Amino acid sequence: QVLRKSLQKGLVLSTGSFLIYEAHKLICGFAEVHASFKVDEVIEQADYLYGSGETEKLYRLLVQHKNSDDAELLWRLARASRDLAQLSSTSAEEKRKLTYEAFECAKKALEKNESNSAAHKWYGICLSDVGDFEGIKTKIGNAIVIKEHFQRAIELNPKDATTIHLIGIWCYSFAEMPWYQRKIAATLFATPPTSTFQELFSCLDTADPNFYSKNLLFLGKTYLKLNNKKMALLWLSKAKDYPAHTEEDKQV
């Protein structure tokens, strides 16, 4: 009888523990689903603000999630930080701070998901921006790494016109590199990276060359370098008439 009562008591305790355990699992599972839903919600809101050109609002939204482990949130914060740094109203001191902040976010995004195309793209962009503050030697020294990340981004997402354009800009910068920069490149690399203006067209003249104001500008500049003023005028006119939605469009 004592044994029977002990077994019954043990069964009640076991059942209670089991129910508590199951409830805990259910709550944790709900929390995970809720957290996932919240990330998707923030991303959706962020993409809307980006499409609307609301740079400052977008940054304020995403900076709240700077400690996130989600690569999709982190590369978007890197982009938002960089876009805010590019605004003419941003002070020089704040521009520097935001540039390094953008780089750290892009770096973290890449660490969290090496297979994320956008993380590679924004890491390359932000690494190039950091070079503007660390001198021409650092900028040239990072050039190969930058191109490798752009190429990896294209491998992961072959249809991304922006990354193809970025490789075009990379080629342009080496095609028109002045002699003193070539000398620096020669001291940094056994075989310094080079490019030609002819190589640019496979990058700039993408399936949709009109997708981006800066792409139009660089097509015009490339034709100018090749002394084809008729084609240069065509593309520069398109760049001039491009609807200015962003600060960069205005600069173009």
Side-chain angles (χ1 to χ4, degrees), residues 18-243:
F18 175 75
L19 289 172
I20 290 168
Y21 172 69
E22 286 299 308
H24 175 71
K25 281 205 306 182
L26 186 64
I27 290 166
C28 288
F30 176 76
E32 286 175 11
V33 170
H34 181 68
S36 173
F37 175 74
K38 188 177 179 183
V39 167
D40 292 342
E41 197 175 57
V42 172
I43 287 172
E44 185 178 352
Q45 192 176 352
D47 289 347
Y48 173 79
L49 289 171
Y50 180 76
S52 304
E54 296 280 1
T55 305
E56 294 178 20
K57 286 183 182 178
L58 174 60
Y59 176 78
R60 287 198 299 271
L61 168 71
L62 291 174
V63 77
Q64 300 174 66
H65 305 281
K66 63 182 178 181
N67 296 320
S68 171
D69 289 331
D70 192 289
E72 290 292 329
L73 277 176
L74 290 166
W75 74 252
R76 282 173 170 82
L77 176 55
R79 180 181 65 182
S81 301
R82 182 182 186 270
D83 285 351
L84 190 58
Q86 300 291 316
L87 294 180
S88 57
S89 57
T90 303
S91 68
E93 183 182 348
E94 190 66 13
K95 180 182 175 73
R96 181 187 179 93
K97 175 179 169 291
L98 287 164
T99 298
Y100 279 91
E101 182 182 301
F103 175 68
E104 288 303 319
C105 289
K107 183 180 176 182
K108 189 178 175 184
L110 202 54
E111 289 169 356
K112 296 300 176 184
N113 187 356
E114 199 278 337
S115 298
N116 189 300
S117 172
H120 281 280
K121 173 170 68 177
W122 286 99
Y123 182 85
I125 292 169
C126 295
L127 181 60
S128 178
D129 289 344
V130 164
D132 293 337
F133 293 97
E134 299 189 354
I136 192 67
K137 189 173 180 179
T138 299
K139 195 167 181 73
I140 294 172
N142 288 336
I144 296 295
V145 177
I146 290 166
K147 189 178 184 182
E148 285 172 353
H149 281 283
F150 289 159
Q151 288 173 328
R152 179 63 177 144
I154 289 172
E155 286 172 13
L156 293 165
N157 184 8
K159 294 182 179 180
D160 183 14
T162 307
T163 311
I164 297 168
H165 161 84
L166 288 167
I167 290 185
I169 300 299
W170 188 96
C171 292
Y172 186 94
S173 64
F174 277 95
E176 70 156 9
M177 184 179 280
W179 67 269
Y180 68 91
Q181 290 185 11
R182 290 187 187 281
K183 200 167 183 179
I184 294 171
T187 65
L188 295 173
F189 303 104
T191 306
T194 58
S195 187
T196 64
F197 290 110
Q198 282 79 5
E199 283 181 70
L200 283 165
F201 289 108
S202 62
C203 297
L204 298 178
D205 194 12
T206 59
D208 181 16
N210 302 287
F211 84 102
Y212 179 32
S213 59
K214 206 167 186 179
N215 199 66
L216 299 170
L217 173 65
F218 273 86
L219 273 167
K221 290 174 75 171
T222 302
Y223 275 113
L224 272 180
K225 293 288 184 182
L226 296 171
N227 294 314
N228 188 335
K229 292 184 179 178
K230 183 179 178 181
M231 289 301 291
L233 180 62
L234 170 68
W235 291 107
L236 292 173
S237 295
K238 286 186 176 186
K240 180 177 69 71
D241 297 335
Y242 192 91

